[in-house]
Amino acid sequence: MTIQIRIERTTAPKPRPQASELGFGKYFTDHMFIVDYAEGKGWHDARIVPYQPITLDPAAKVFHYGQTIFEGLKAYRTETGQIALFRPDMNMKRLNRSNDRMSIPAIEEELGLEALRQLVLIDKDWIPDAPETSLYVRPFVIATEAALGVSPSKQYQFIIIMSPVGSYYAEGIKPVSIYVESEYVRAVAGGVGHVKTAGNYAAGLKAQEGATEQGCAQVLWLDGVHRKYVEEVGSMNVFFRLGNKIVTPALTGSLLSGITRDSVIHLLRHWGLEVEERLISIDEVTQAQKDGSLKEMFGTGTAAVISPVGSLYWQGEKLTIGDGSTGELTLRVYETMTGIQTGRIEDPFGWRVALD
Amino acid sequence: MTIQIRIERTTAPKPRPQASELGFGKYFTDHMFIVDYAEGKGWHDARIVPYQPITLDPAAKVFHYGQTIFEGLKAYRTETGQIALFRPDMNMKRLNRSNDRMSIPAIEEELGLEALRQLVLIDKDWIPDAPETSLYVRPFVIATEAALGVSPSKQYQFIIIMSPVGSYYAEGIKPVSIYVESEYVRAVAGGVGHVKTAGNYAAGLKAQEGATEQGCAQVLWLDGVHRKYVEEVGSMNVFFRLGNKIVTPALTGSLLSGITRDSVIHLLRHWGLEVEERLISIDEVTQAQKDGSLKEMFGTGTAAVISPVGSLYWQGEKLTIGDGSTGELTLRVYETMTGIQTGRIEDPFGWRVALD
Ligand SMILES: Cc1ncc(COP(=O)(O)O)c(C=O)c1O
Ligand SMILES: Cc1ncc(COP(=O)(O)O)c(C=O)c1O
């Protein structure tokens, strides 16, 4: 397949924000990618156009039935001035798993990757270069058919937008406190928690409000069936260091298969460490905290890369993990992951994909 | 509060479809209602305008995190020429329960009801008058803030659109066959299955595909924890007549509190029948089918009002309910409900709300 992407460049480039103003997902670059889908015609008219509003019929299915999926990855300017993505093929594969679950037609992986490459390069001056900043890339698909029957849409748009994002840890990597959620449930096996679809996130807002009220940064989700197995932390996967073993929840169908998770598992095993993917109950975690075997805990995800957990709030008690500071393994994983991503260190795995 | 709704009438009314072309949710009337929300300002600028596209930033939160809810109700032209809604206050109350769960600010019930009244009256010529046709009314809220952080939006729109819909039973009320779903799960307690939010519906499409492949019209959902208690049928609540008792699943937190469900329970009790709201397992249902005590089964919802179930497809077996035709109680409920809605019979409950 030769991939044709029509390009219409902006004639009115926007002023770029200062590194200090960036935050997360507040500013958007000059261009966006769009490709349309129509039943019978397939995906067609791939184009890069000036960043612009989307115009939809108020009956578009995305508004009513939530048929939509998304991805998230980052483009970095490496130490040597190259522009790179981190494992973008994994994002395209997951995007198609999400599409399949949400009854959205698949998108050719090569089209997605080529769109990412061309779009990032066109807006490459938007990649911030202060330490630990990056360009966040957001591919998403929305169902655009204007019809109120509950059935798969006959029309879609696959869109990619990009946002320069600031350092997650402006003052250095710092542990967060986490609220163990016992009332709300994020997802259940048989549902859609294992894919990246919009509804999963709105469903979690209420729990997040509760966590914030308790002074916590994020929620630790427990499974919806037994209400005891640990699933994810906020929008991140989660790892525990129990003695010298590392444990992370198995992919049981209700949690997302994070690309950072996969990379961290590889990395730890590459270092010769033992990693178990299995069920881990909140009782096991709190017991290990009490007997001192829970040494470290951290979340993994594209936004923060690694997020150390300093304490857990559970049944009215605050449980400090280790001495409450960032654990040594956590820090090593963080340094190595961000090092590989930004080209500060060698990439033995072929994860960093240079675009130019 | 006095409610001010600005009105801008269309200058280009659309041709209206023939009754035979209507279907469900394919055509939309000449006008729509919109009211905006901004943090600090509240809901403001309520207006009725010509039906028109919505223009949103591609980073609008509804596309990414699914913060959105909706309602569905019908306007009827009664036998005496009046225009009426069915229990619209119940829709506004449920809309606010949905808003609360999805971290969307509440909408004053009076504003919603007044918007419904004025919009339906402005487009009253769109209410079809063939038997069992109606004007389907779709209020919905979308999160419009352009920002990729996972947090409640600071901006929303509450919109109402309307669509003339054909008779659900053009050839008379007719039983459907139902596929009992054992792989996919619609919702779980602690999640969002008890409210009307978009993500619930996209999540159900895959199961519906499977049902269609088996020649079934809809899915019967089982609970996500035990995978055995009956929850809903498609986008309807469900009732079983077991001997002379009527059983419907209790509102355990994972199923929608249907307004038709509530009305049917009232009606049956008004008739002196015994109605139980409780857990009912698929084993109990299939057992009752086998021993002959399962006399009737039907779904309830705004679209079809009452949908008789003729057979269940479960573990490779087709189980016929009663003699496979519409049961006598089912038919009586259907005739009475539609009679009250359309003004064909008296309304002892005050459910029919005349708008003019
Ligand atoms: C629910 C959820 N879990 C985990 C992750 C981590 O996945 P990844 O490492 O691919 O970013 C994400 C996405 O960032 C997520 O949304
Ligand atoms: C999931 C679901 N269950 C049940 C119903 C029935 O609710 P109501 O009777 O209020 O239309 C609906 C809406 O129509 C629904 O979407």
Side-chain angles (χ1 to χ4, degrees):
Chain A
M1 190 182 78
T2 41
I3 289 154
Q4 292 281 9
I5 300 177
R6 175 163 67 80
I7 294 178
E8 181 194 331
R9 279 177 189 273
T10 183
T11 52
K14 295 181 275 193
R16 275 175 232 134
Q18 301 290 311
S20 61
E21 302 172 317
L22 289 177
F24 183 83
K26 296 195 303 187
Y27 299 95
F28 298 92
T29 67
D30 282 325
H31 296 88
M32 63 198 281
F33 170 84
I34 312 182
V35 59
D36 299 320
Y37 179 91
E39 203 183 47
K41 209 168 167 186
W43 292 102
H44 64 278
D45 195 15
R47 57 206 185 267
I48 289 173
V49 293
Y51 189 89
Q52 61 192 269
I54 306 178
T55 296
L56 291 174
D57 194 284
K61 291 202 174 194
V62 62
F63 296 134
H64 303 274
Y65 306 127
Q67 210 193 352
T68 174
I69 62 91
F70 69 96
E71 270 302 323
L73 68 164
K74 283 176 171 177
Y76 301 90
R77 190 180 298 281
T78 69
E79 310 266 301
T80 60
Q82 267 191 321
I83 290 162
L85 291 172
F86 184 73
R87 311 187 76 185
D89 53 310
M90 296 283 279
N91 291 94
M92 278 307 301
K93 287 194 177 74
R94 186 171 63 189
L95 177 136
N96 276 325
R97 289 200 301 275
S98 299
N99 277 342
D100 180 58
R101 180 63 183 83
M102 305 312 289
S103 303
I104 297 173
I107 295 166
E108 263 181 290
E109 205 175 310
E110 300 76 42
L111 171 63
L113 293 173
E114 183 59 18
L116 286 170
R117 195 183 70 82
Q118 293 198 24
L119 184 64
V120 170
L121 289 181
I122 277 191
D123 279 342
K124 67 175 188 293
D125 293 343
W126 281 85
I127 308 180
D129 48 19
E132 262 125 72
T133 59
S134 59
L135 185 67
Y136 182 77
V137 182
R138 169 57 58 89
F140 64 108
V141 179
I142 53 175
T144 55
E145 189 196 1
L148 293 185
V150 180
S151 60
S153 180
K154 293 179 175 147
Q155 287 150 32
Y156 301 87
Q157 286 196 313
F158 171 44
I159 298 173
I160 309 176
I161 57 175
M162 307 195 297
S163 168
V165 298
S167 168
Y168 212 86
Y169 299 110
E171 293 140 44
I173 187 167
K174 213 179 86 201
V176 292
S177 62
I178 297 291
Y179 181 78
V180 185
E181 178 59 52
S182 55
E183 182 183 357
Y184 297 109
V185 170
R186 198 190 81 92
V188 71
V192 295
H194 60 307
V195 299
K196 264 182 105 72
T197 186
N200 289 335
Y201 298 80
L205 294 174
K206 198 83 182 169
Q208 179 61 40
E209 282 173 23
T212 307
E213 267 166 38
Q214 300 296 336
C216 291
Q218 295 273 1
V219 158
L220 184 73
W221 295 108
L222 302 181
D223 82 283
V225 174
H226 309 92
R227 300 288 192 117
K228 71 176 192 188
Y229 296 110
V230 169
E231 301 223 308
E232 305 198 46
V233 47
S235 299
M236 292 183 286
N237 295 110
V238 63
F239 287 74
F240 302 91
R241 185 179 142 218
L242 296 170
N244 283 320
K245 251 195 324 232
I246 294 98
V247 178
T248 190
L251 301 175
T252 50
S254 47
L255 50 134
L256 195 77
S257 175
I259 293 160
T260 320
R261 174 186 183 279
D262 180 80
S263 308
V264 167
I265 292 173
H266 265 84
L267 189 63
L268 293 169
R269 289 190 176 145
H270 178 76
W271 288 342
L273 294 169
E274 196 180 333
V275 184
E276 291 178 358
E277 299 180 65
R278 63 167 170 85
L279 293 181
I280 176 165
S281 71
I282 186 66
D283 290 341
E284 178 178 351
V285 171
T286 54
Q287 200 45 55
Q289 188 271 346
K290 292 205 160 97
D291 71 21
S293 57
L294 175 59
K295 305 293 187 197
E296 307 184 38
M297 173 175 172
F298 57 91
T300 66
T302 295
V305 188
I306 302 296
S307 182
V309 176
S311 61
L312 286 178
Y313 191 91
W314 170 237
Q315 294 180 334
E317 247 190 297
K318 186 179 154 178
L319 309 174
T320 302
I321 317 283
D323 66 0
S325 68
T326 301
E328 84 189 282
L329 182 67
T330 305
L331 194 60
R332 187 176 168 211
V333 171
Y334 176 70
E335 293 294 346
T336 309
M337 285 290 295
T338 56
I340 291 175
Q341 287 167 340
T342 61
R344 199 170 58 234
I345 62 177
E346 226 204 306
D347 169 15
F349 310 106
W351 288 340
R352 194 171 59 231
V353 177
L355 299 186
D356 53 353
Chain B
M1 190 181 82
T2 42
I3 289 153
Q4 292 280 8
I5 300 177
R6 174 164 67 79
I7 294 179
E8 181 195 329
R9 279 178 188 271
T10 185
T11 54
K14 295 181 274 193
R16 278 176 231 132
Q18 300 290 312
S20 61
E21 302 172 315
L22 289 176
F24 183 81
K26 297 195 303 186
Y27 299 95
F28 298 91
T29 67
D30 281 326
H31 297 88
M32 63 197 282
F33 171 84
I34 312 181
V35 59
D36 298 321
Y37 179 92
E39 203 182 47
K41 210 168 165 185
W43 292 102
H44 65 278
D45 194 15
R47 57 204 186 269
I48 288 172
V49 294
Y51 188 89
Q52 60 193 267
I54 307 177
T55 295
L56 291 174
D57 193 284
K61 291 201 175 195
V62 62
F63 296 134
H64 303 273
Y65 306 128
Q67 210 191 352
T68 175
I69 62 91
F70 70 95
E71 271 301 325
L73 67 164
K74 283 178 172 177
Y76 301 89
R77 189 181 297 281
T78 69
E79 310 266 300
T80 60
Q82 266 190 322
I83 291 163
L85 291 173
F86 184 73
R87 310 185 77 186
D89 53 309
M90 295 284 280
N91 291 94
M92 278 307 300
K93 286 194 178 76
R94 187 171 63 187
L95 178 137
N96 276 324
R97 290 200 302 277
S98 299
N99 277 342
D100 180 59
R101 179 63 183 83
M102 305 313 287
S103 303
I104 297 173
I107 295 165
E108 263 182 289
E109 205 176 307
E110 300 74 42
L111 171 62
L113 293 174
E114 184 58 18
L116 285 172
R117 196 183 68 82
Q118 292 197 25
L119 184 63
V120 170
L121 289 180
I122 277 191
D123 279 342
K124 66 175 190 294
D125 293 342
W126 281 85
I127 308 180
D129 49 19
E132 260 124 73
T133 59
S134 60
L135 185 67
Y136 182 77
V137 182
R138 168 58 59 88
F140 64 108
V141 180
I142 53 175
T144 56
E145 189 195 1
L148 293 185
V150 181
S151 60
S153 180
K154 293 177 174 143
Q155 289 151 31
Y156 301 88
Q157 287 196 314
F158 171 43
I159 298 172
I160 309 176
I161 57 176
M162 305 193 298
S163 168
V165 297
S167 168
Y168 212 85
Y169 300 110
E171 292 141 43
I173 187 166
K174 212 179 86 198
V176 292
S177 61
I178 297 291
Y179 181 78
V180 184
E181 178 59 53
S182 55
E183 180 183 357
Y184 296 110
V185 169
R186 197 190 82 94
V188 71
V192 296
H194 59 308
V195 299
K196 264 184 107 71
T197 186
N200 289 335
Y201 298 81
L205 294 175
K206 198 84 181 168
Q208 179 61 42
E209 282 173 23
T212 306
E213 267 166 39
Q214 300 295 338
C216 291
Q218 296 273 358
V219 158
L220 183 73
W221 295 106
L222 302 182
D223 82 284
V225 174
H226 308 93
R227 301 287 192 114
K228 70 176 193 188
Y229 296 110
V230 170
E231 301 223 309
E232 306 198 45
V233 47
S235 299
M236 293 183 285
N237 295 112
V238 61
F239 287 75
F240 301 91
R241 186 179 140 218
L242 297 170
N244 284 320
K245 252 193 327 225
I246 294 99
V247 179
T248 190
L251 300 174
T252 50
S254 46
L255 51 135
L256 195 77
S257 174
I259 293 160
T260 320
R261 173 186 184 278
D262 180 81
S263 308
V264 167
I265 293 173
H266 266 82
L267 189 63
L268 294 170
R269 289 189 177 144
H270 178 76
W271 287 342
L273 295 169
E274 196 181 334
V275 183
E276 291 178 357
E277 298 180 63
R278 62 166 170 87
L279 293 181
I280 176 165
S281 70
I282 185 66
D283 290 341
E284 180 179 348
V285 171
T286 53
Q287 200 45 56
Q289 188 271 344
K290 293 204 160 101
D291 72 20
S293 57
L294 175 58
K295 305 292 186 196
E296 305 184 37
M297 173 176 173
F298 58 91
T300 67
T302 295
V305 190
I306 302 296
S307 181
V309 176
S311 60
L312 286 177
Y313 191 92
W314 170 238
Q315 294 180 333
E317 246 189 297
K318 186 177 156 184
L319 309 173
T320 303
I321 317 283
D323 65 1
S325 67
T326 302
E328 89 192 276
L329 182 67
T330 305
L331 193 61
R332 187 176 168 209
V333 171
Y334 176 71
E335 292 294 345
T336 310
M337 286 290 295
T338 55
I340 291 174
Q341 288 167 339
T342 59
R344 199 172 54 233
I345 62 177
E346 226 203 308
D347 169 16
F349 310 106
W351 288 339
R352 191 172 60 232
V353 177
L355 300 185
D356 53 353

